[in-house]
Amino acid sequence: MGMQMDSGGAGRGRRSMNAEINVTPLVDVMLVLLIVFMITAPLLTTGVDVALPNSSAQNLPAPQSTPLSVSVDADGKVYIQETETPIEELTSKLYAITGEGYEERIFLRGDENVDYGRIMEVMTRMQKAGFRNIAMVTDPQAQIRGAQ
């Protein structure tokens, strides 16, 4: 990779062409992009903003596919994923999404400021419709933050 001098000139040096590709800048750019995507990907999957209640229970194993979540916000509004749904239409929309015999876990997320009866109403409607694998989501980090 050094400079080669041509001995055939009148003291003028000629450089030979270097045909190698320098991959260091490419690797640097790819690592920066990887870090950016690793940081932003979890932020894109938050869904409806609810303040989850505290719990010291152990987390359930994460599902292999994208989980179906039903959320109840502080105003008592019900959401399937990020779509607001009237509670009267909850089971029919769940059937439309899942079809018959949905065996995957459904995550029920309720804001800590919403009436407990409202969350139980949503859960009861889902159970009566045949959805038996319902998990209530809490925020284990809130317990740690509250102890400090």
Side-chain angles (χ1 to χ4, degrees):
M1 301 253 318
M3 189 168 87
Q4 295 179 354
M5 300 295 287
D6 187 16
S7 60
R12 289 185 283 163
R14 286 191 173 171
R15 293 185 193 175
S16 65
M17 296 298 287
N18 186 0
E20 295 178 9
I21 297 174
N22 189 358
V23 295
T24 304
L26 175 67
V27 171
D28 289 344
V29 169
M30 295 310 270
L31 285 175
V32 168
L33 288 175
L34 177 67
I35 291 170
V36 167
F37 285 122
M38 286 173 55
I39 291 172
T40 58
L43 300 175
L44 299 175
T45 60
T46 58
V48 178
D49 188 27
V50 293
L52 297 173
N54 301 337
S55 174
S56 59
Q58 296 294 323
N59 290 337
L60 295 172
Q64 299 299 326
S65 62
T66 304
L68 180 63
S69 70
V70 176
S71 303
V72 182
D73 69 0
D75 297 328
K77 296 178 186 171
V78 179
Y79 295 84
I80 299 176
Q81 299 298 77
E82 287 106 21
T83 307
E84 185 177 350
T85 306
I87 194 159
E88 297 80 23
E89 299 175 11
L90 176 66
T91 55
S92 62
K93 287 195 177 186
L94 284 173
Y95 279 136
I97 293 170
T98 63
E100 302 269 339
Y102 187 70
E103 296 298 323
E104 293 291 321
R105 186 177 311 274
I106 298 175
F107 291 109
L108 178 58
R109 303 169 65 235
D111 193 282
E112 66 183 352
N113 298 319
V114 73
D115 182 35
Y116 183 69
R118 181 66 169 177
I119 296 172
M120 293 313 317
E121 179 184 5
V122 171
M123 183 178 235
T124 303
R125 283 180 181 262
M126 290 191 307
Q127 285 180 336
K128 285 184 178 179
F131 299 101
R132 302 274 184 234
N133 201 358
I134 302 169
M136 296 186 74
V137 179
T138 60
D139 186 5
Q141 297 300 321
Q143 185 75 15
I144 294 169
R145 287 189 300 263
Q148 294 175 352

